[in-house]
């Protein structure tokens, strides 16, 4: 059967134009401009050329493109009230932005969106600043063109399956969250263990030769090489989540390699190395303060002191592990011998807006920011809110708030550091009591360890100064320290070549988020691939999203990397 892309590349200009004319309604110039770049290397290349044609156009031309689009509607399944609300909101929208509401009517999987989602999206986008909304409307046009191209060039089959796996796994959530339709899977809860069982089953179904759950709850799948005693490529990410999380953080880095192994298995192919896919049991440090526990155990970094840490219900990690049937004595043996490994690669959703705003599906990570976290307790004096004069208070919460403002100023002053007070609590506080105690967290990050440590030193010095000035005491515990992890140049280049081979522009970028790769970095070379997040890349939030088209490209990139590695006799 002829390849439709070859046909498009070979077609006379008028015929090629006719084939693409409906991609951007009432704007044939977009396809015309893109066709000047023929031959397209891939459908991804075609999509980028179409996007580039719009990006290269003048502001007036882009506005005219938006204004030329047909009116939005009708809402699927809308009743009279919805139709009325749609009419009102679209009128407000047009008055505010000067063009009609534009939205892809199919979601990240390519399936139809319901009326409620579309109305919610319209209502949310009404709050956008005009220039940001113009960019968003153009992104919607590109997404509609991408969906139309599926009709000609086929569905993203791998991407759709991977997307569906995320949906299925998100059915498991911890009590207190599941009932609210929220996704929270913390270390060794029943939901967490159900995820491990499901992942094990899927790995078996994908054709892994060995699948097991190790002594800390990692799910480990091994797909053997074409020869005995071959080196191992490790890949994977975490399956635990933050509270009220998105579905893709961590999990995308498990499912993409699983789908690659499934593809190899279906083709009856073996590579020159074993592939070890690991679903790390704990990275987020939500139930217990320990973080990167799953990947840390593989580098000999499991701290036995963690076993006595207690969760919010007073359950120790030791008790949770025993309840889960894990063999604590087997933890030390999990340490991997680096000599047996080629390296570690991780696919992860970007968790930020860079790729979304650049209009790129993939990014190659150059370095992962270093991070230090603390838990802090400030102690003052609880006293009557009505009778304690303002100059006689020892208010622990105000001191913590003063430090939080300092963290914001000080981190911003570096330009590329970040500082967050993510947890902030007045234990047993009352509306009419001056807070005598305040507990809060510190999360400080920077692209290099030296910059990170300078930030930490300054913040801790300010904490001491504030407490000194206000007559307060404080206690502080460092709960995590992860070194900045620059990508190994050879492995970064492997990702770059794999992305380039897809006809996707290679974009290099740092990671502000921490990842399991920074743990494996301590014993073997590593590099990561980022996948664009939808909704401006929001993450650690239920609106986290990615399309099956972008997931497809990530899977194809990984397959390309695996193939190239298998043929690379220098490894
Ligand atoms: O916090 C982080 O950077 C990661 O998501 N655990
Ligand atoms: Mn995370
Ligand atoms: Mn993550």
């Amino acid at each position: 059967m002829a390849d439709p892309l070859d046909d498009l590349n070979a077609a006379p200009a008028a015929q090629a134009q006719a084939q693409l004319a409906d991609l951007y309604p009432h704007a044939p110039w977009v396809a015309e401009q893109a066709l000047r770049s023929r031959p397209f290397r891939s459908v991804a290349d075609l999509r980028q050329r179409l996007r580039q044609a719009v990006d290269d156009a003048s502001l007036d031309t882009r506005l005219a493109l938006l204004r030329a689009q047909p009116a939005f509607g009708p809402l699927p399944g809308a009743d009279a009230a919805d139709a009325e609300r749609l009419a009102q909101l679209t009128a407000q929208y047009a008055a505010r932005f000067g063009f009609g509401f534009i939205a892809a009517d199919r979601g990240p999987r390519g399936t139809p969106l319901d009326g409620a989602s579309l109305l919610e999206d319209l209502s949310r986008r009404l709050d956008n600043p005009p220039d940001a909304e113009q960019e968003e409307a153009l992104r919607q046009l590109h997404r509609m063109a991408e969906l139309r191209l599926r009709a000609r060039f086929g569905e993203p089959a791998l991407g759709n399956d991977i997307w569906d796996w995320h949906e299925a796994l998100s059915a498991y959530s911890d009590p207190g969250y599941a009932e609210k339709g929220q996704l929270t899977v913390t270390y060794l809860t029943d939901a967490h263990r159900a995820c491990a069982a499901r992942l094990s089953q899927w790995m078996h179904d994908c054709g892994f030769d060995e699948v097991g759950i190790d002594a800390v709850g990692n799910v480990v799948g091994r797909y053997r090489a074409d020869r005995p005693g071959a080196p191992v490529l490790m890949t994977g990410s975490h399956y635990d989540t933050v509270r009220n999380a998105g579905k893709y953080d961590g999990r995308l880095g498990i499912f993409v390699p699983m789908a690659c192994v499934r593809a190899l298995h279906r083709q009856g192919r073996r590579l020159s190395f074993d592939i070890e896919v690991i679903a790390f049991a704990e990275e987020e440090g939500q139930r217990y303060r320990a973080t990167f526990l799953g990947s840390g155990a593989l580098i000999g970094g499991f701290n036995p002191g963690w076993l006595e840490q207690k969760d919010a219900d007073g359950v120790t990690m030791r008790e949770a592990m025993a309840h889960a049937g894990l063999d604590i004595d087997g933890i030390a043996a999990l340490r991997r011998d680096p000599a047996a490994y080629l390296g570690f690669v991780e696919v992860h959703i970007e968790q930020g807006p860079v790729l979304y705003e650049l209009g790129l599906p993939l990014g190659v990570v150059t370095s992962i920011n270093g991070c230090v976290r603390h838990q802090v307790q400030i102690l003052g004096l609880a006293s009557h809110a009505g009778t304690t004069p303002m100059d006689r208070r020892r208010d622990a919460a105000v001191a913590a708030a003063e430090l939080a403002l300092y963290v914001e100023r000080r981190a911003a002053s570096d330009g590329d550091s970040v500082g967050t007070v993510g947890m902030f609590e007045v234990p047993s506080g009352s509306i009419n009591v001056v807070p005598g105690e305040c507990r809060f967290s510190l999360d400080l990050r920077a692209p290099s360890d030296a910059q990170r440590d300078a930030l930490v030193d300054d913040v801790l010095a300010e904490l001491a100064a504030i407490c000194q000035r206000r007559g307060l005491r404080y206690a502080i515990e460092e709960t995590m320290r992860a070194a900045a992890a620059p990508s190994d140049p050879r492995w970064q280049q492997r990702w770059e070549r794999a992305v380039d081979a897809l006809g996707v522009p290679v974009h290099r970028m740092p990671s502000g988020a921490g990842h399991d790769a920074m743990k494996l970095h301590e014993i073997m070379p590593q590099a990561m691939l980022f996948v664009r997040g939808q909704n401006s890349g929001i993450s650690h939030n239920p609106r986290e999203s990615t399309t099956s088209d972008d997931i497809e490209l990530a899977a194809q990139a990984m397959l390309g990397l695996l193939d190239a590695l298998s043929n690379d006799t220098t490894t």
Side-chain angles (χ1 to χ4, degrees), residues 348-411:
H348 204 287
I349 192 166
E350 178 202 337
Q351 297 186 292
V354 172
L355 295 174
Y356 186 75
E357 291 174 3
L358 288 173
L360 293 174
L362 302 175
V364 178
V365 175
T366 54
S367 178
I368 306 169
N369 279 1
C371 179
V372 171
R373 290 179 187 166
H374 294 85
Q375 292 288 346
V376 186
Q377 178 195 40
I378 292 182
L379 293 169
L381 179 66
S383 59
H384 196 298
T387 58
T388 312
M390 291 310 290
D391 63 356
R392 306 269 286 280
R393 296 179 172 213
R394 289 165 57 198
D395 186 329
V398 170
E402 187 178 353
L403 183 73
L405 288 172
Y406 175 80
V407 166
E408 182 185 50
R409 271 195 319 275
R410 174 59 185 80

Side-chain angles (χ1 to χ4, degrees), residues 237-238 249-251 283-284 346 348 351 513-516 540:
S237 193
H238 59 95
D249 175 5
R251 288 142 183 232
E283 188 261 14
E284 299 283 8
E346 181 173 359
H348 204 287
Q351 297 186 292
H515 300 289
D516 291 302
H540 285 187

Side-chain angles (χ1 to χ4, degrees), residues 119-297:
L119 269 179
E120 186 194 324
D121 194 32
L122 169 50
S123 169
R124 181 186 306 114
R125 285 168 53 187
L126 261 172
D127 295 336
N128 281 343
D131 55 348
E133 180 52 24
Q134 183 180 318
E135 290 308 306
E136 180 57 27
L138 288 169
R139 277 190 285 268
Q140 292 295 322
L141 273 186
H142 294 315
R143 177 62 181 157
M144 293 156 84
E146 181 173 59
L147 290 165
R148 290 186 180 111
L149 283 171
R150 287 189 179 191
R152 279 179 195 72
F153 296 100
E155 284 287 310
L158 276 181
N160 284 346
D161 285 352
I162 294 168
W163 198 93
D164 294 343
W165 279 338
H166 287 92
E167 287 300 298
L169 199 64
S170 68
Y172 306 104
S173 186
D174 290 352
Y177 297 91
E179 301 80 359
K180 293 183 278 188
Q182 295 178 357
L183 175 61
T184 302
V185 176
T186 55
Y187 189 47
L188 297 181
T189 59
D190 291 347
H192 182 272
R193 295 174 56 218
C195 287
R198 196 73 190 270
L199 286 165
S200 302
Q201 184 52 53
W202 281 334
M203 282 188 182
H204 278 295
D205 299 346
C206 287
F208 283 81
D209 299 298
E210 291 116 40
V211 179
I213 297 176
D214 73 14
V216 294
N218 297 325
V219 183
V220 184
R222 181 70 71 104
Y223 186 72
R224 291 278 175 212
D226 59 5
R227 66 203 71 174
V232 186
L233 173 67
M234 188 193 292
T235 182
S237 193
H238 59 95
Y239 64 92
D240 68 317
T241 74
V242 295
R243 297 177 182 88
N244 194 11
K247 298 171 183 167
Y248 306 93
D249 175 5
R251 288 142 183 232
L252 184 61
I254 299 166
F255 288 139
V256 165
M258 279 173 59
C260 290
V261 166
R262 189 184 70 175
L264 291 170
H265 178 67
R266 285 178 173 174
Q267 297 156 15
R269 289 184 56 208
R270 298 279 170 171
L271 303 180
S272 60
F273 49 86
D274 284 10
I275 301 172
E276 185 176 60
V277 178
I278 304 181
F280 294 111
E282 199 292 329
E283 188 261 14
E284 299 283 8
Q286 301 293 299
R287 181 177 180 184
Y288 297 101
R289 287 197 306 276
T291 61
F292 297 98
L293 183 151
S295 45

Side-chain angles (χ1 to χ4, degrees), residues 369 410-419 444-447 451-452 455:
N369 279 1
R410 174 59 185 80
S413 70
D414 283 344
D416 53 0
S417 296
V418 288
L444 304 171
R445 311 188 193 198
Q451 185 176 320
R452 176 202 64 191
L455 172 62

